[in-house]
Amino acid sequence: MNFLSLIEKKREGKVLLPEQIHKFIREFTAGQIPDYQMSAMLMAIYFRGLNTAETTALTLAMRDSGDVLKFPKDKRPLVDKHSTGGIGDKVSLPLAPLLACLGFRVPMISGRGLGITGGTLDKLDSIPGFQSLLPAAQIVKQVQQVGCVICGQTDTMVPADKKIYALRDASGTVPSIPLITASILSKKLAESLGALILDVKFGCAAFMQTKADARKLARAMVALGNECGTSTRAILTDMNTPLGRAAGNWLEVKESVACLEGKSPADMMELILDCAAHLLIQTKKSKTFADARKLAGACLNSGAPRAKWDEMLAAQGADLKAFNRKLTLDATAKVVVEVKSAKAGYISWCDARIIGEVIRDLGGGRLMKEAHINYDVGVDQMAKPGEWVEKNAVLCRVHATDSTQAKIAMARLKTAFAFAAKRAVKAPLVSEMISR
Ligand code: URA
């Protein structure tokens, strides 16, 4: 194909035909289009955009560049949730077993963290023996038998996205709404879902810093997901402050288990139940949002999702004995230090970006894709905006590999908290829902 003429067409702001998009994605995946030409196309798309038909074509072409999961007919709907990523965002972990107990099948294909945002797979890799990379046949088998799986993308799923994402990363073309939409949805559509809930975050630690940008991305993804036959909704959620009281891979697994045992921080619980409730409505299992939330809450309280979590872990090779022993430990990092408040007052701000940067620099996140991470480091017992703290009370704890690292982290963490004499009105966690 004459790919150069398509690059020029997009450069001039013209519309590409669906068949042209399908063909160049096929050829690029097969190695017949060089990276430098694809990078030029990505830059043209970055500046000129894609209309809905073009974005749909790109998404479907990317989905079809590899294996699409095929599930046997079953009355349990296939559902999933995707988050654009944040600090302390561990919602997927308790949500998958909860959804399985609510009568869904959940093929939750997740990713690793990059930069300050954590990745679901990194969190799960802190569990002794847990296998996060499974072949497609095993993913399908586990979903059918257990009801849920949380694992990574196989080598043969959406290979076009892997190649294109690497080029976007190296060519400054990541922040493009049609490219993000196609990247995220091609992977989700390869799970053959009936319904999808998207948690699109905004704020200082989010991919989209403003609510207006988050809304734009959410609208594009919702429209396209629905157009492709997957019932899709999005919620816009605040990521100025971390979710829950713990951030860092193992510490988040611990908080997720606490959540399944009825000891969840309020914001985590709100998001878990909201995501479950939307999926219950989308699949017509509940009529009203209030009913759906009640059903999800009762299910979580029943203890069944906690047992399902163990079942999922065991199916993925985890050593449950070692895992449960690890859960009883207060800390797995070598050094744990308390960060104390210099004064009394209401917490008015806890900066998620600073917390995320501290954890990344402690070794809990990656600056480069290939970097190894330390699962034990992080921050827990975080005070939340709106709470009163006395002078010398614990604002948070640092889990570090040595005392030098801990000291540096402590100094930075002190700057993450702001105080006020009066309790400020808390910003809502979930501020909008988009269904079309
Ligand atoms: N996450 C993805 O999977 N793709 C993007 O383009 C951005 C975030």
Side-chain angles (χ1 to χ4, degrees), residues 82 161 165 168 174 179-180 183-184 187 207:
H82 176 83
D161 179 62
Y165 196 87
R168 286 169 61 205
V174 169
L179 294 178
I180 297 170
S183 169
I184 291 175
K187 287 175 283 203
F207 197 45

Side-chain angles (χ1 to χ4, degrees), residues 289-302:
F289 193 67
D291 284 350
R293 242 176 158 271
K294 225 165 137 187
L295 185 63
C299 183
L300 193 58
N301 285 335
S302 74

